[in-house]
Amino acid sequence: MRIKPIKEFNRALTPPPDKSITIRAVIMGWLSCGTTVIKNPLLSGDTIAAIDAVGALGAEVSFEKGNLIIKGGNFCSGTVDARNSATTMRLLAGAAAGLDIDVTIKGDASLSKRNMRSLISALSDMGAEIDSKNGFPPLTVHGRKLNGIDFDPSSPSAQIKSAVLLAGLSAEGQTTVKEQIKTRPHTEDMLKSFGADITNENGIITLKPSKLTATEVNVPGDMSSAAYPIVLGLSRGFCYLKNVGIARHELIDFLLSIGADIEEEVLGDRANILVKKSSLKPFTVSGALSAALIDELPLLAVLASTINGESIITDAAALKNKECDRIKYTVSNLRNLGAEIVELSDGFKIKGGSLKGGNVVAQGDHRIAMSMAIANALSERGGMIDDDKCVEISYPSFWELFL
Ligand code: S3P
């Protein structure tokens, strides 16, 4: 795919539905008694992996007028393929760990290289029995009776928190999670709407064993996907984005803090967002903010490359265990496009200015491909992205941004 420089970007658009929320709704739909209706589901590589997996494990899946319908409460053993989706693998492992079934979860070549030790360790503390390839997929979960635990994550991960909570549904005794660093709240929020006995007070989540009841989930737009047109609007004109989920609002707060011109019309759990071309300041992202913006960091490195002055992104070592090593490949690709960027053990340091453009090797990673497509659009010459298919993982209509 060849990306040409974009001189002006003036668009109104609706970003794709939220990937994290769709996968959670699919898995909770499977766990629930009754019929769950998922409105505005994301249909992408990762969410289809989750839908196919619950279908193979006993859920009845259908589509009606654009809604995804899951009839749950029926559980069978089987082997499923999470493909590229670590969220599907980790949440499904947690959900299955306390059921009376055996589930093998495999993944594609990229997911098979991702470390599952923290997941296995947290679930094993609950009494789960999980076979792996020395801490790597495939995972085989032998469902059995679990016990609740007090989980104090050593590093922030929404996926592992979610796996523990889903396992806690069928455990004996309560499960608590105390996050030192907050991660996306979708699992705890959604468990409540599926009727779980769960509270979240001062950052301490307490879940009592619960049976879930099917419900309706209306999926808002994905903030992590919205981030790409937001950066184009901030740099080249304006962008009006409709129906963006604001449970992950940190990106907007962060952009406002560096001088972005952004207006929001908030409607419950979502907002219509207008971003206008802005003169931005160089920035530091670290600590809790790095965890909150973990999926946006390669794109923020791109943005930093276009802002005069030095920006630094640290406390983001988790990027190394994503679909590829996102520190390494953000640095190598941005350098190839003319950026002055230094690789740190937990992030990057960038001396911003302008990008020349150049060819990108995305490593099959959707967020590297999309971030570097934006980088080329903001560059003098533009360049080629070697893999245009991988955006299917989270943002199937991504290339329409460049038409
Ligand atoms: C996700 C959590 C994050 C994120 C991933 C989606 C989720 O991963 O990077 O894209 O839906 O819970 P970690 O839990 O590994 O930080």
Side-chain angles (χ1 to χ4, degrees):
M1 169 71 62
R2 174 152 190 89
I3 304 295
K4 293 196 203 121
I6 291 183
K7 295 266 166 338
E8 270 195 36
F9 184 85
N10 301 318
R11 290 272 180 102
L13 56 89
T14 304
D18 192 289
K19 176 160 81 73
S20 295
I21 293 178
T22 303
I23 293 173
R24 283 158 172 78
V26 165
I27 293 176
M28 289 186 209
W30 170 53
L31 294 178
S32 302
C33 281
T35 302
T36 289
V37 177
I38 306 175
K39 293 189 162 167
N40 193 37
L42 175 69
L43 297 178
S44 74
D46 274 10
T47 61
I48 291 169
I51 295 166
D52 287 350
V54 301
L57 298 175
E60 245 182 72
V61 179
S62 58
F63 288 91
E64 253 171 48
K65 297 185 197 137
N67 297 334
L68 172 59
I69 314 289
I70 314 257
K71 278 196 191 149
N74 180 40
F75 311 112
C76 33
S77 299
T79 295
V80 299
D81 189 352
R83 297 175 208 161
N84 197 245
S85 177
T87 306
T88 299
M89 178 170 280
R90 295 197 172 109
L91 272 59
L92 214 48
L99 302 176
D100 196 15
I101 52 176
D102 291 325
V103 178
T104 296
I105 314 167
K106 57 184 188 171
D108 67 6
S110 150
L111 183 52
S112 300
K113 285 193 217 126
R114 294 181 68 177
N115 196 327
M116 295 289 150
R117 287 200 185 106
S118 316
L119 171 84
I120 295 168
S121 152
L123 293 176
S124 300
D125 286 348
M126 303 180 80
E129 199 186 328
I130 302 177
D131 302 333
S132 70
K133 238 170 125 185
N134 209 8
F136 289 82
L139 305 179
T140 297
V141 180
H142 303 284
R144 48 180 287 174
K145 193 73 210 154
L146 305 177
N147 50 274
I149 53 167
D150 293 327
F151 182 53
D152 229 331
S154 54
S155 52
S157 166
Q159 292 174 357
I160 295 174
K161 166 180 71 176
S162 303
V164 166
L165 289 172
L166 292 170
L169 288 171
S170 54
E172 208 174 287
Q174 70 175 30
T175 295
T176 64
V177 181
K178 284 184 210 129
E179 285 189 299
Q180 306 296 335
I181 296 181
K182 237 178 112 259
T183 61
R184 64 195 73 198
H186 308 311
T187 299
E188 49 274 33
D189 291 353
M190 199 181 289
L191 279 171
K192 205 171 180 57
S193 57
F194 273 87
D197 185 347
I198 186 167
T199 57
N200 189 354
E201 275 160 27
N202 306 322
I204 302 176
I205 304 165
T206 305
L207 171 74
K208 302 225 169 81
S210 306
K211 292 238 174 304
L212 299 186
T213 307
T215 187
E216 187 180 291
V217 179
N218 189 350
V219 183
D222 195 317
M223 184 65 90
S224 297
S225 299
Y228 303 98
I230 285 177
V231 167
L232 288 177
L234 281 175
S235 308
R236 291 290 186 265
F238 73 82
C239 188
Y240 180 65
L241 296 114
K242 285 175 265 183
N243 195 39
V244 187
I246 51 171
R248 280 183 278 139
H249 196 263
E250 294 88 348
L251 177 69
I252 301 298
D253 294 333
F254 164 72
L255 292 171
L256 287 169
S257 77
I258 61 167
D261 182 349
I262 302 182
E263 288 164 40
E264 281 177 282
E265 183 196 2
V266 175
L267 309 152
D269 65 347
R270 54 201 74 204
N272 297 326
I273 300 177
L274 175 64
V275 300
K276 290 193 215 141
K277 189 167 172 174
S278 309
S279 168
L280 301 176
K281 296 182 284 203
F283 55 80
T284 298
V285 176
S286 61
L289 189 57
S290 294
L293 299 178
I294 194 75
D295 290 340
E296 286 73 77
L297 296 181
L299 179 65
L300 292 182
V302 170
L303 183 63
S305 309
T306 69
I307 302 173
N308 283 322
E310 186 172 280
S311 292
I312 178 156
I313 297 174
T314 55
D315 299 322
L319 287 177
K320 292 182 176 174
N321 192 29
K322 294 293 175 190
E323 284 81 334
C324 71
D325 179 340
R326 286 185 177 160
I327 294 185
K328 182 170 170 190
Y329 292 109
T330 296
V331 170
S332 60
N333 280 304
L334 266 180
R335 225 178 245 159
N336 209 35
L337 270 66
E340 262 190 67
I341 178 165
V342 175
E343 179 172 345
L344 307 175
S345 58
D346 63 348
F348 349 81
K349 194 154 60 168
I350 300 137
K351 202 155 160 226
S354 59
L355 291 167
K356 292 200 166 39
N359 295 343
V360 168
V361 182
Q363 304 294 328
D365 182 333
H366 55 133
R367 296 207 194 278
I368 296 290
M370 293 191 286
S371 300
M372 297 306 147
I374 301 294
N376 267 317
L378 300 180
S379 73
E380 288 161 25
R381 298 193 300 257
M384 292 288 292
I385 313 292
D386 70 329
D387 181 348
D388 56 352
K389 296 270 181 314
C390 61
V391 306
E392 292 277 331
I393 297 290
S394 60
Y395 196 158
S397 62
F398 178 76
W399 300 115
E400 289 171 16
L401 294 175
F402 302 88
L403 297 178

